[in-house]
Amino acid sequence: MRKQSIVLLSFLTMVVASCDRCKEEPDDFKPTPYNLEIPEGLPDMSIPSTNPLTIEGIALGRKLFYDPILSGNNTQSCSNCHIQSSGFAEPFQHSTGIDGIQGNRNAMPLINLGYQPNFFWDGGATDLESQALGPVTNPIEMHESWQNAVSELRNHADYPTLFKQAFGIDQITSQYVVKAIAQFERTMISGNSKYDRYAQGQESLTDQELLGLQIFTDPMKGDCNHCHVLGSTFSDFEYRNTGLDSIPVDEGRFIITWNNSDRGKFKTPSLRNIEVTAPYMHDGRFMNLLECVEHYNTGFHYAPNLDANLYTATKGRMTLAEMESVVAFMKTMTDHAFLSNPKFSAP
Amino acid sequence: MLGVIALSAVMLGCRDKETVEPTPLNPKVNLIFTHKVGNQEITQGQFYTRTSGESFSFDMLKYYLSEAALVNDAGDTLYFTGHHLMDAFNANRKKASGSVKIDDAQMSSFNQLIFGIGVSPAYNTSGDQAGDLDPGFGMIWTWSTGYIFMKHEGQFVDSTGATQPLLYHLGTPRAYQRYSVPIQLQLKKDKTYNVNIDFDFAKVYNNPNLITFTDNNVIQSSGSQDIPWINAVTQNLRNAFAVTSIQIK
């Protein structure tokens, strides 16, 4: 009888203890929602419901962005080719991966990514989370398998706790690595340039910059804002063949869609912080902004898929002074506060 | 006394775990794949000779089996699996399982098994996924979002007798197809059905489209030049599956 009572008592204790656990466990995970501040002039950003922004998630993403643990030999992080002072691009024509192999495209700036419908120069990545999967495994970039990367994170002193705090998970997976990085990237918002302050009536432009603005929007001159939509994101995020070559070496968007009409097309990049993201174009062929403007003035080739706006544009329609004024105007899009914002620097 | 213990335990237990109704469980269906070249089950590294003369091997054979369903005489389609990463050389990954939600006796008779090879369009637009679609399995492309549907990596011996690598990665949205296999299946609740299916690579590369490895040995579905190969393989896959037996437990 006594033995049975002890059994009963211990059994009841077990039941009560297990009940407490099943009640409390779901409440353990309480990440702090992050209030994303959108500067005046930029649209609201839609955040995927599958990856809401949290203080813990963003901090984790920032740590991962700067941590070489995600590369094959732990020598390179995202930040090796995406440098804050260069608008999170890189001042080299092509990036070099951990094995010393160079790619064939120029590293893209990471600015206002939350507004973009897809990623890479050819739009091959369909969401920001998926985008981060590629460079980690690409043999010419970080050359790491996700299996290894995740295993290193699971055996790390800090990461298991940080992932638990950010996502409530006990086991790190690649899915949550890219979710965290995407959260950090969505906070990298730039909207405090001289142009923005001018648009808000807080600062004036010089005469040369004002002339540049006029040429930028004049359909018979620069006609730049046709694609680099004035203000806001300075891009329509469409794909165009801008006549860089008569026969494209890199087939661009075609590699993704396999539609002939997409041969040699690349995504319109934003012009924000363009002053610091040299060299330019998908292959980094132009060293300065004047070379870019000159390309659209006289340099473009009549490629089969040349964009209609360029096809109908007159070559040599801008004078040197007008082109220089466009460059001066483009430099008003530099957001110095963004380029040195400690929230985006190495933790 | 024991009765009191049992009663107390039930009363104090978590409410949502209180009772287990003895309702009959939906039948469970296990699709068990045997990977073959003709009559031979494949072994890693062994060479198999094709009717075209080339011999070839498998170092890796992985693929996604997706959204399997049973179709009945009335045309109802009852889905019972999501996406399963299959691996010919991993004993735990040769089987895809699910329970079929049959409501009444009329719905229990099936004459067609359908499934996709690859990742269905709804799941192929993001790598931000878990389970068998976790990118950690190495079944994603690096240059664009989406999954590699099937990986066959091995070697082949060309016409000069030289051994060369064979690397076939099937994928892109146009490669996603659903395949239909005849089956005779009468399902009853509380039962498990082991459906044995042969997946024959002699047919994958031969029937009706002959795919020769010589000069065509590395294909990664990476451009429009690969469209004819994708079309040929997906058309051949229609003939590559056969239900060989069903065990009932």
Side-chain angles (χ1 to χ4, degrees):
Chain A
M1 184 63 199
R2 171 169 293 196
K3 202 174 178 184
Q4 279 181 352
S5 301
I6 293 167
V7 170
L8 172 64
L9 193 65
S10 53
F11 187 69
L12 285 182
T13 314
M14 270 166 57
V15 169
V16 170
S18 72
C19 252
D20 283 345
R21 267 209 305 281
C22 67
K23 248 183 270 167
E24 278 175 17
E25 225 164 34
D27 299 329
D28 279 354
F29 166 55
K30 276 182 194 153
T32 323
Y34 179 81
N35 184 29
L36 191 65
E37 280 178 36
I38 305 288
E40 192 183 329
L42 282 169
D44 283 343
M45 188 182 286
S46 83
I47 306 294
S49 60
T50 50
N51 193 18
L53 297 182
T54 65
I55 297 207
E56 293 81 0
I58 293 162
L60 173 58
R62 180 180 170 196
K63 184 173 165 68
L64 289 163
F65 184 90
Y66 283 99
D67 196 334
I69 197 169
L70 292 181
S71 65
N73 57 6
N74 293 356
T75 58
Q76 286 192 356
S77 69
C78 310
S79 69
N80 276 66
C81 302
H82 297 285
I83 301 160
Q84 183 175 12
S85 57
S86 298
F88 288 102
E90 192 183 28
F92 302 112
Q93 181 174 17
H94 299 141
S95 305
T96 305
I98 65 162
D99 299 330
I101 304 169
Q102 285 199 347
N104 60 346
R105 290 187 184 160
N106 186 236
M108 299 202 82
L110 309 182
I111 296 163
N112 297 347
L113 295 178
Y115 298 112
Q116 290 198 31
N118 27 43
F119 304 89
F120 297 143
W121 278 104
D122 55 22
T126 50
D127 56 40
L128 204 42
E129 285 75 7
S130 305
Q131 183 281 327
L133 291 168
V136 169
T137 53
N138 196 330
I140 63 168
E141 296 182 55
M142 294 161 81
H143 201 179
E144 174 65 300
S145 75
W146 274 106
Q147 207 176 0
N148 279 341
V150 165
S151 152
E152 284 179 46
L153 292 171
R154 283 176 183 171
N155 292 317
H156 190 272
D158 306 328
Y159 279 115
T161 311
L162 297 173
F163 274 89
K164 175 90 175 165
Q165 288 165 352
F167 298 108
I169 53 167
D170 291 320
Q171 182 90 295
I172 299 171
T173 64
S174 54
Q175 181 181 24
Y176 289 94
V177 176
V178 296
K179 274 185 196 290
I181 293 172
Q183 283 194 35
F184 172 56
E185 288 175 321
R186 287 194 176 96
T187 68
M188 292 154 70
I189 298 177
S190 172
N192 185 20
S193 65
K194 185 179 183 183
Y195 171 79
D196 294 301
R197 294 190 296 274
Y198 162 77
Q200 291 156 27
Q202 296 169 6
E203 198 169 333
S204 47
L205 300 184
T206 66
D207 288 348
Q208 192 192 27
E209 289 160 354
L210 282 169
L211 174 64
L213 169 58
Q214 192 196 319
I215 304 289
F216 188 90
T217 53
D218 184 342
M220 303 309 287
K221 290 286 187 178
D223 198 21
C224 314
N225 76 318
H226 217 113
C227 308
H228 298 287
V229 188
L230 191 68
S232 189
T233 56
F234 280 100
S235 172
D236 59 0
F237 302 123
E238 293 292 335
Y239 299 89
R240 290 191 172 78
N241 182 324
T242 55
L244 286 166
D245 303 290
S246 328
I247 300 163
V249 182
D250 181 338
E251 293 187 308
R253 184 71 177 152
F254 174 79
I255 293 167
I256 304 303
T257 65
W258 302 359
N259 293 330
N260 277 320
S261 61
D262 283 333
R263 275 186 206 273
K265 287 187 180 175
F266 293 89
K267 182 166 60 189
T268 309
S270 170
L271 295 184
R272 286 191 176 274
N273 300 303
I274 196 76
E275 179 184 5
V276 299
T277 66
Y280 303 106
M281 302 299 172
H282 69 272
D283 53 6
R285 67 173 63 190
F286 296 140
M287 296 314 291
N288 60 57
L289 290 172
L290 190 61
E291 285 181 43
C292 298
V293 180
E294 165 55 22
H295 166 76
Y296 292 110
N297 190 32
T298 58
F300 60 91
H301 297 272
Y302 290 98
N305 286 330
L306 181 66
D307 186 71
N309 298 297
L310 272 174
Y311 191 81
T312 52
T314 310
K315 286 210 173 195
R317 61 198 185 280
M318 287 180 274
T319 65
L320 178 61
E322 286 170 337
M323 290 196 290
E324 283 169 343
S325 73
V326 172
V327 172
F329 172 65
M330 285 202 276
K331 289 181 179 175
T332 69
M333 298 168 198
T334 308
D335 179 346
H336 295 282
F338 173 87
L339 297 171
S340 59
N341 190 335
K343 281 184 180 175
F344 309 140
S345 61
Chain B
M1 186 60 204
L2 283 173
V4 174
I5 296 171
L7 190 65
S8 315
V10 169
M11 284 169 68
L12 288 165
C14 293
R15 268 178 202 284
D16 53 343
K17 289 177 186 169
E18 209 168 83
T19 49
V20 178
E21 284 288 311
T23 46
L25 294 169
N26 281 315
K28 191 182 176 194
V29 175
N30 298 320
L31 303 178
I32 301 161
F33 285 79
T34 304
H35 306 88
K36 290 183 160 181
V37 176
N39 293 326
Q40 294 171 275
E41 182 169 358
I42 61 170
T43 308
Q44 214 161 10
Q46 193 182 319
F47 280 80
Y48 302 92
T49 305
R50 315 173 59 190
T51 49
S52 62
E54 293 170 320
S55 65
F56 70 110
S57 69
F58 297 81
D59 294 327
M60 178 194 283
L61 178 59
K62 292 182 184 179
Y63 57 95
Y64 279 104
L65 182 101
S66 54
E67 299 177 351
L70 288 162
V71 180
N72 68 12
D73 297 324
D76 297 315
T77 304
L78 274 70
Y79 290 94
F80 63 96
T81 76
H83 287 77
H84 288 266
L85 177 59
M86 311 293 282
D87 183 342
F89 304 118
N90 179 341
N92 300 320
R93 292 201 169 274
K94 293 181 182 189
K95 184 172 85 173
S97 305
S99 37
V100 185
K101 294 188 179 68
I102 53 169
D103 296 331
D104 54 51
Q106 275 100 51
M107 288 185 78
S108 67
S109 172
F110 301 92
N111 55 16
Q112 224 184 324
L113 168 68
I114 60 171
F115 50 79
I117 294 294
V119 174
S120 69
Y123 291 88
N124 201 31
T125 53
S126 177
D128 176 10
Q129 298 186 80
D132 281 11
L133 292 174
D134 186 325
F137 288 112
M139 296 292 279
I140 54 164
W141 307 111
T142 57
W143 60 84
S144 69
T145 304
Y147 288 82
I148 300 168
F149 294 175
M150 183 162 73
K151 271 188 181 178
H152 170 190
E153 295 177 13
Q155 294 181 312
F156 80 103
V157 180
D158 68 18
S159 52
T160 69
T163 303
Q164 292 197 46
L166 180 62
L167 189 149
Y168 278 178
H169 291 180
L170 178 71
T172 76
R174 76 201 66 219
Y176 187 73
Q177 303 272 335
R178 302 179 66 80
Y179 303 96
S180 168
V181 186
I183 194 169
Q184 286 307 323
L185 198 53
Q186 187 76 36
L187 295 185
K188 289 197 175 76
K189 298 225 173 187
D190 287 329
K191 294 276 186 193
T192 295
Y193 298 81
N194 288 337
V195 178
N196 294 297
I197 300 166
D198 275 0
F199 187 177
D200 183 359
F201 278 77
K203 290 181 176 142
V204 173
Y205 297 129
N206 212 40
N207 183 12
N209 307 301
L210 176 66
I211 295 165
T212 52
F213 303 140
T214 306
D215 302 324
N216 207 19
N217 58 324
V218 176
I219 292 182
Q220 298 195 67
S221 308
S222 58
S224 57
Q225 74 281 356
D226 295 336
I227 290 176
W229 178 85
I230 291 172
N231 290 346
V233 169
T234 51
Q235 198 181 8
N236 288 357
L237 280 169
R238 287 180 208 166
N239 304 315
F241 302 98
V243 172
T244 54
S245 64
I246 298 169
Q247 287 134 16
I248 305 166
K249 285 181 188 167

